[in-house]
Amino acid sequence: MNFIAGTYNGVLPPNVETTLTLNADGTYRLKQKSPNDTDGCEVLNGVFKVFDESVLMLEHPASGDNIFYKEKNDSSIILIESFGNEPSAKNIKLYVLKKKV
């Protein structure tokens, strides 16, 4: 499977509203809002790379910390740890971002 450009959203632990837009040119926009964030939200822009087995790496331009997702199916991705481990089966649904139609 290949990552398809589009916008994915959901709520990731600890209750962070997350919207990730993947652009066809290899750039992304990640918007995150925590419930206790009264002055707005964090927005990151950068580039992403796709690795084998449908692993997506968002390069964080400022900190150098990368964020990893794995394609679950055509309409959702899962936030994973940097070394590729998926969340445990009982918690996996907490880490899914679904593609907007």
Side-chain angles (χ1 to χ4, degrees), residues 14-87:
N15 201 22
V16 178
E17 288 179 42
T18 303
T19 301
L20 172 61
T21 301
L22 302 176
N23 300 307
D25 65 357
T27 61
Y28 74 87
R29 176 182 169 94
L30 178 65
K31 183 177 170 184
Q32 297 176 305
K33 180 168 178 35
S34 298
N36 52 2
D37 248 348
T38 51
D39 19 328
C41 54
E42 180 183 22
V43 177
L44 302 174
N45 293 292
V47 296
F48 67 89
K49 293 180 180 166
V50 179
F51 297 101
D52 291 344
E53 302 190 26
S54 301
V55 173
L56 169 73
M57 180 182 80
L58 305 181
E59 294 183 351
H60 189 296
S63 71
D65 292 334
N66 298 322
I67 303 168
F68 293 83
Y69 288 90
K70 184 173 186 179
E71 187 171 39
K72 182 177 179 193
N73 54 41
D74 289 342
S75 62
S76 59
I77 57 177
I78 305 166
L79 180 65
I80 59 173
E81 296 175 11
S82 58
F83 40 87
N85 291 339
E86 294 182 16

